[in-house]
Amino acid sequence: MRVAVCQLNARDDRKVNLAAAELLLERAAAGGADLAVLPEYVDYLGPAAGLLDPEPVDGEVGQFFAAVARRLGMWVVAGSIHERGPDPDHTYNTSLVFDRSGTLAASYRKIHLYDVEIPGRVSYLESATVAPGAQPVVVDVEGLRVGLSICYDLRFPELYRQLTTDGGAQLLVVPAAFMLHTGRDHWEVLLRARAIENQCFVAAAGQTGDHEPGRTCFGRSMVVDPWGLVLTQVPDGQGVAIADLDLDRLRTIRAELPSLANRRL
Ligand SMILES: O=C(O)CCC(=O)C(=O)O
């Protein structure tokens, strides 16, 4: 299984964002990727006032990614989009997974919402406009078990443990828009920790660069192997990085260092 992580700088224009995402997906497909992962909020990253009416998963944005997946014959994790929420004031932050025929194979609503106040650095109250999901999701991608998550979820190891032990995950995907302030110190450490402790591959696709209003994202999208080694990463700016997942290596690591089997509950 060949996996691509696509690093994007989404702005406040849905049409422009979708076109940029499509270009990155085309690069992933040209590189032979079977599965490509896009970042969180691939449809829109900008002032709340500029957000178009949020749609259901089969709205225009969903249909757009379905068509791209079908045209490229590639699995696509449309990182996350603004899904119509439970009331007019709240959306869901939802990841969509399309198979090679463009059929929606799974969707996952971000469970952990980013409500953080670091004076002078980060001020974010995601729960003011987003309703949380409640259901962890693992999807079968041609025999590969893929656990879904979004951005801030990365700080909650119990979610990934559940995806792995209950859901049988072998690959954990993390679409994100990690900010520069936290990302530069925490992003890679957290991704490698989730990979090591769950003995899973991790494919993490981040937003990069500046976004209105005043948000700068860290980027550094990467694929990590179950030993915690970074197989590939995207430098600053938009781009794609591709890695082959060797499932024999995953099985060997789990057999030789059986920390999942050695858990004491
Ligand atoms: O956890 C972090 O540091 C960043 C999380 C974030 O930006 C998000 O969930 O949108």
Side-chain angles (χ1 to χ4, degrees), residues 94-126:
T94 304
S95 193
L96 307 178
V97 182
F98 296 96
D99 71 13
R100 295 182 196 270
S101 73
T103 303
L104 183 67
S107 65
Y108 162 74
R109 293 174 175 157
K110 185 180 187 183
I111 292 175
H112 301 96
L113 301 182
Y114 190 49
D115 289 349
V116 172
E117 186 68 50
I118 306 174
R121 299 285 191 174
V122 179
S123 178
Y124 211 79
L125 190 64
E126 189 172 18

CSV table of all heavy atoms in Angstrom, one decimal, residues 94-126:
chain,number,residue,atom,x,y,z
A,94,THR,N,-15.7,17.1,9.9
A,94,THR,CA,-15.9,15.7,9.5
A,94,THR,C,-14.9,15.3,8.4
A,94,THR,O,-14.7,16.0,7.4
A,94,THR,CB,-17.3,15.6,8.9
A,94,THR,OG1,-18.2,16.0,9.9
A,94,THR,CG2,-17.6,14.1,8.5
A,95,SER,N,-14.3,14.1,8.6
A,95,SER,CA,-13.4,13.5,7.6
A,95,SER,C,-14.2,12.6,6.8
A,95,SER,O,-15.0,11.8,7.3
A,95,SER,CB,-12.3,12.8,8.4
A,95,SER,OG,-11.2,12.4,7.6
A,96,LEU,N,-13.9,12.6,5.4
A,96,LEU,CA,-14.6,11.7,4.5
A,96,LEU,C,-13.6,10.8,3.8
A,96,LEU,O,-12.6,11.3,3.4
A,96,LEU,CB,-15.3,12.6,3.4
A,96,LEU,CG,-16.3,13.6,3.9
A,96,LEU,CD1,-16.9,14.4,2.7
A,96,LEU,CD2,-17.4,13.1,4.8
A,97,VAL,N,-13.9,9.5,3.7
A,97,VAL,CA,-13.1,8.6,3.0
A,97,VAL,C,-13.8,8.0,1.8
A,97,VAL,O,-14.9,7.4,1.9
A,97,VAL,CB,-12.6,7.4,4.0
A,97,VAL,CG1,-11.7,6.5,3.2
A,97,VAL,CG2,-12.0,8.0,5.2
A,98,PHE,N,-13.2,8.3,0.6
A,98,PHE,CA,-13.7,7.8,-0.6
A,98,PHE,C,-12.9,6.6,-1.2
A,98,PHE,O,-11.6,6.7,-1.2
A,98,PHE,CB,-13.8,8.9,-1.7
A,98,PHE,CG,-14.8,10.0,-1.2
A,98,PHE,CD1,-14.3,11.1,-0.6
A,98,PHE,CD2,-16.1,9.9,-1.4
A,98,PHE,CE1,-15.1,12.1,-0.2
A,98,PHE,CE2,-17.0,10.9,-1.0
A,98,PHE,CZ,-16.5,12.0,-0.4
A,99,ASP,N,-13.5,5.6,-1.7
A,99,ASP,CA,-12.8,4.5,-2.3
A,99,ASP,C,-12.4,4.9,-3.8
A,99,ASP,O,-12.8,6.0,-4.3
A,99,ASP,CB,-13.5,3.2,-2.2
A,99,ASP,CG,-14.7,3.1,-3.0
A,99,ASP,OD1,-14.9,3.9,-3.9
A,99,ASP,OD2,-15.5,2.1,-2.7
A,100,ARG,N,-11.8,3.9,-4.5
A,100,ARG,CA,-11.3,4.2,-5.9
A,100,ARG,C,-12.5,4.5,-6.8
A,100,ARG,O,-12.3,5.1,-7.9
A,100,ARG,CB,-10.5,3.0,-6.4
A,100,ARG,CG,-9.2,2.7,-5.6
A,100,ARG,CD,-8.5,1.6,-6.3
A,100,ARG,NE,-7.5,1.0,-5.4
A,100,ARG,CZ,-6.2,1.4,-5.5
A,100,ARG,NH1,-5.8,2.4,-6.3
A,100,ARG,NH2,-5.3,0.8,-4.7
A,101,SER,N,-13.7,4.0,-6.5
A,101,SER,CA,-14.8,4.3,-7.4
A,101,SER,C,-15.6,5.5,-7.0
A,101,SER,O,-16.6,5.9,-7.6
A,101,SER,CB,-15.8,3.1,-7.3
A,101,SER,OG,-16.5,3.1,-6.1
A,102,GLY,N,-15.1,6.2,-6.0
A,102,GLY,CA,-15.7,7.5,-5.5
A,102,GLY,C,-16.9,7.3,-4.6
A,102,GLY,O,-17.6,8.2,-4.2
A,103,THR,N,-17.0,6.0,-4.1
A,103,THR,CA,-18.1,5.8,-3.1
A,103,THR,C,-17.6,6.2,-1.7
A,103,THR,O,-16.4,5.9,-1.3
A,103,THR,CB,-18.4,4.2,-3.1
A,103,THR,OG1,-18.8,3.9,-4.4
A,103,THR,CG2,-19.5,3.9,-2.1
A,104,LEU,N,-18.5,6.8,-0.9
A,104,LEU,CA,-18.1,7.2,0.4
A,104,LEU,C,-18.0,5.9,1.3
A,104,LEU,O,-19.0,5.2,1.5
A,104,LEU,CB,-19.2,8.1,1.0
A,104,LEU,CG,-18.9,8.7,2.4
A,104,LEU,CD1,-17.7,9.6,2.4
A,104,LEU,CD2,-20.1,9.4,3.0
A,105,ALA,N,-16.8,5.6,1.7
A,105,ALA,CA,-16.5,4.4,2.5
A,105,ALA,C,-16.7,4.6,4.0
A,105,ALA,O,-17.0,3.6,4.7
A,105,ALA,CB,-15.1,3.8,2.2
A,106,ALA,N,-16.4,5.8,4.4
A,106,ALA,CA,-16.5,6.1,5.9
A,106,ALA,C,-16.5,7.6,6.1
A,106,ALA,O,-16.1,8.4,5.2
A,106,ALA,CB,-15.3,5.5,6.6
A,107,SER,N,-17.1,8.0,7.2
A,107,SER,CA,-16.9,9.4,7.7
A,107,SER,C,-16.7,9.4,9.2
A,107,SER,O,-17.2,8.5,9.9
A,107,SER,CB,-18.1,10.2,7.3
A,107,SER,OG,-19.3,9.8,8.0
A,108,TYR,N,-16.0,10.4,9.6
A,108,TYR,CA,-15.7,10.5,11.1
A,108,TYR,C,-15.8,12.0,11.5
A,108,TYR,O,-15.2,12.9,10.9
A,108,TYR,CB,-14.2,10.0,11.3
A,108,TYR,CG,-13.7,10.5,12.6
A,108,TYR,CD1,-14.1,9.9,13.8
A,108,TYR,CD2,-12.7,11.5,12.7
A,108,TYR,CE1,-13.6,10.3,15.1
A,108,TYR,CE2,-12.3,12.0,14.0
A,108,TYR,CZ,-12.7,11.4,15.1
A,108,TYR,OH,-12.3,11.8,16.3
A,109,ARG,N,-16.5,12.2,12.6
A,109,ARG,CA,-16.6,13.6,13.1
A,109,ARG,C,-15.6,13.8,14.3
A,109,ARG,O,-15.6,13.0,15.2
A,109,ARG,CB,-18.1,13.8,13.6
A,109,ARG,CG,-19.1,13.8,12.5
A,109,ARG,CD,-20.5,13.9,13.0
A,109,ARG,NE,-21.5,14.0,11.9
A,109,ARG,CZ,-22.7,13.6,12.0
A,109,ARG,NH1,-23.2,13.1,13.1
A,109,ARG,NH2,-23.5,13.8,11.0
A,110,LYS,N,-14.9,14.8,14.2
A,110,LYS,CA,-13.8,15.1,15.2
A,110,LYS,C,-14.4,15.0,16.6
A,110,LYS,O,-15.4,15.7,16.9
A,110,LYS,CB,-13.2,16.5,14.9
A,110,LYS,CG,-12.1,16.9,15.8
A,110,LYS,CD,-11.6,18.3,15.4
A,110,LYS,CE,-10.3,18.7,16.1
A,110,LYS,NZ,-9.9,20.1,15.8
A,111,ILE,N,-13.8,14.2,17.5
A,111,ILE,CA,-14.3,14.0,18.8
A,111,ILE,C,-13.8,15.1,19.8
A,111,ILE,O,-14.6,15.7,20.6
A,111,ILE,CB,-14.0,12.6,19.3
A,111,ILE,CG1,-14.8,11.6,18.5
A,111,ILE,CG2,-14.3,12.5,20.8
A,111,ILE,CD1,-14.4,10.1,18.9
A,112,HIS,N,-12.5,15.4,19.8
A,112,HIS,CA,-11.9,16.3,20.7
A,112,HIS,C,-11.8,17.7,20.1
A,112,HIS,O,-11.2,17.9,19.1
A,112,HIS,CB,-10.6,15.8,21.2
A,112,HIS,CG,-10.6,14.5,21.8
A,112,HIS,ND1,-10.3,13.3,21.0
A,112,HIS,CD2,-10.9,14.0,23.0
A,112,HIS,CE1,-10.4,12.3,21.8
A,112,HIS,NE2,-10.8,12.7,23.0
A,113,LEU,N,-12.5,18.7,20.7
A,113,LEU,CA,-12.5,20.0,20.1
A,113,LEU,C,-11.5,20.9,20.8
A,113,LEU,O,-11.2,20.8,22.0
A,113,LEU,CB,-13.9,20.6,20.3
A,113,LEU,CG,-15.0,19.8,19.6
A,113,LEU,CD1,-16.4,20.5,19.8
A,113,LEU,CD2,-14.8,19.6,18.2
A,114,TYR,N,-10.9,21.7,20.0
A,114,TYR,CA,-9.7,22.5,20.4
A,114,TYR,C,-10.2,23.8,21.1
A,114,TYR,O,-10.3,24.9,20.5
A,114,TYR,CB,-8.9,22.8,19.1
A,114,TYR,CG,-7.6,23.4,19.3
A,114,TYR,CD1,-6.7,22.9,20.2
A,114,TYR,CD2,-7.2,24.5,18.6
A,114,TYR,CE1,-5.4,23.4,20.3
A,114,TYR,CE2,-5.9,25.1,18.7
A,114,TYR,CZ,-5.0,24.5,19.6
A,114,TYR,OH,-3.8,25.0,19.7
A,115,ASP,N,-10.3,23.7,22.4
A,115,ASP,CA,-10.7,24.9,23.2
A,115,ASP,C,-9.4,25.2,24.1
A,115,ASP,O,-9.2,24.6,25.1
A,115,ASP,CB,-11.9,24.5,24.2
A,115,ASP,CG,-13.2,24.4,23.4
A,115,ASP,OD1,-13.2,24.8,22.2
A,115,ASP,OD2,-14.1,23.9,24.0
A,116,VAL,N,-8.6,26.1,23.6
A,116,VAL,CA,-7.3,26.4,24.2
A,116,VAL,C,-7.1,27.9,24.3
A,116,VAL,O,-7.4,28.6,23.4
A,116,VAL,CB,-6.2,25.7,23.3
A,116,VAL,CG1,-4.8,26.1,23.8
A,116,VAL,CG2,-6.4,24.2,23.4
A,117,GLU,N,-6.5,28.3,25.4
A,117,GLU,CA,-6.2,29.7,25.6
A,117,GLU,C,-4.8,29.8,26.1
A,117,GLU,O,-4.5,29.6,27.3
A,117,GLU,CB,-7.2,30.3,26.6
A,117,GLU,CG,-7.1,31.8,26.8
A,117,GLU,CD,-7.5,32.6,25.6
A,117,GLU,OE1,-8.6,32.4,25.1
A,117,GLU,OE2,-6.7,33.5,25.2
A,118,ILE,N,-3.8,30.1,25.2
A,118,ILE,CA,-2.4,30.3,25.6
A,118,ILE,C,-2.2,31.8,25.4
A,118,ILE,O,-2.0,32.2,24.2
A,118,ILE,CB,-1.5,29.4,24.8
A,118,ILE,CG1,-1.9,28.0,24.9
A,118,ILE,CG2,0.0,29.6,25.3
A,118,ILE,CD1,-1.1,27.1,24.0
A,119,PRO,N,-2.1,32.6,26.5
A,119,PRO,CA,-2.1,34.1,26.3
A,119,PRO,C,-1.1,34.6,25.3
A,119,PRO,O,0.1,34.2,25.4
A,119,PRO,CB,-1.9,34.6,27.7
A,119,PRO,CG,-2.4,33.5,28.6
A,119,PRO,CD,-2.1,32.2,27.9
A,120,GLY,N,-1.5,35.4,24.4
A,120,GLY,CA,-0.6,36.0,23.4
A,120,GLY,C,-0.2,35.0,22.3
A,120,GLY,O,0.5,35.4,21.4
A,121,ARG,N,-0.6,33.8,22.4
A,121,ARG,CA,-0.2,32.8,21.4
A,121,ARG,C,-1.3,32.2,20.6
A,121,ARG,O,-1.4,32.3,19.4
A,121,ARG,CB,0.6,31.7,22.1
A,121,ARG,CG,1.9,32.2,22.8
A,121,ARG,CD,3.0,32.5,21.7
A,121,ARG,NE,4.2,32.7,22.4
A,121,ARG,CZ,5.4,32.9,21.7
A,121,ARG,NH1,5.3,32.8,20.4
A,121,ARG,NH2,6.5,33.0,22.3
A,122,VAL,N,-2.1,31.5,21.4
A,122,VAL,CA,-3.3,30.7,20.8
A,122,VAL,C,-4.5,31.0,21.6
A,122,VAL,O,-4.5,30.9,22.8
A,122,VAL,CB,-3.0,29.2,20.8
A,122,VAL,CG1,-4.2,28.5,20.2
A,122,VAL,CG2,-1.7,28.8,20.1
A,123,SER,N,-5.6,31.4,20.9
A,123,SER,CA,-6.9,31.6,21.5
A,123,SER,C,-7.9,31.0,20.6
A,123,SER,O,-8.1,31.5,19.5
A,123,SER,CB,-7.1,33.1,21.7
A,123,SER,OG,-8.4,33.3,22.2
A,124,TYR,N,-8.5,29.9,21.0
A,124,TYR,CA,-9.3,29.1,20.1
A,124,TYR,C,-10.4,28.5,20.9
A,124,TYR,O,-10.1,27.8,21.9
A,124,TYR,CB,-8.4,28.1,19.4
A,124,TYR,CG,-8.9,27.8,18.0
A,124,TYR,CD1,-8.7,28.7,16.9
A,124,TYR,CD2,-9.7,26.7,17.7
A,124,TYR,CE1,-9.1,28.4,15.7
A,124,TYR,CE2,-10.2,26.4,16.5
A,124,TYR,CZ,-9.9,27.3,15.4
A,124,TYR,OH,-10.4,27.0,14.2
A,125,LEU,N,-11.6,28.6,20.4
A,125,LEU,CA,-12.8,28.0,21.1
A,125,LEU,C,-13.6,27.3,20.1
A,125,LEU,O,-14.6,27.7,19.6
A,125,LEU,CB,-13.6,29.1,21.8
A,125,LEU,CG,-14.7,28.5,22.8
A,125,LEU,CD1,-14.1,27.8,23.9
A,125,LEU,CD2,-15.5,29.7,23.3
A,126,GLU,N,-13.1,26.1,19.7
A,126,GLU,CA,-13.7,25.4,18.6
A,126,GLU,C,-15.1,25.0,18.9
A,126,GLU,O,-16.0,25.0,18.1
A,126,GLU,CB,-12.9,24.1,18.3
A,126,GLU,CG,-13.4,23.4,17.0
A,126,GLU,CD,-12.5,22.3,16.5
A,126,GLU,OE1,-11.6,21.8,17.3
A,126,GLU,OE2,-12.6,21.9,15.4
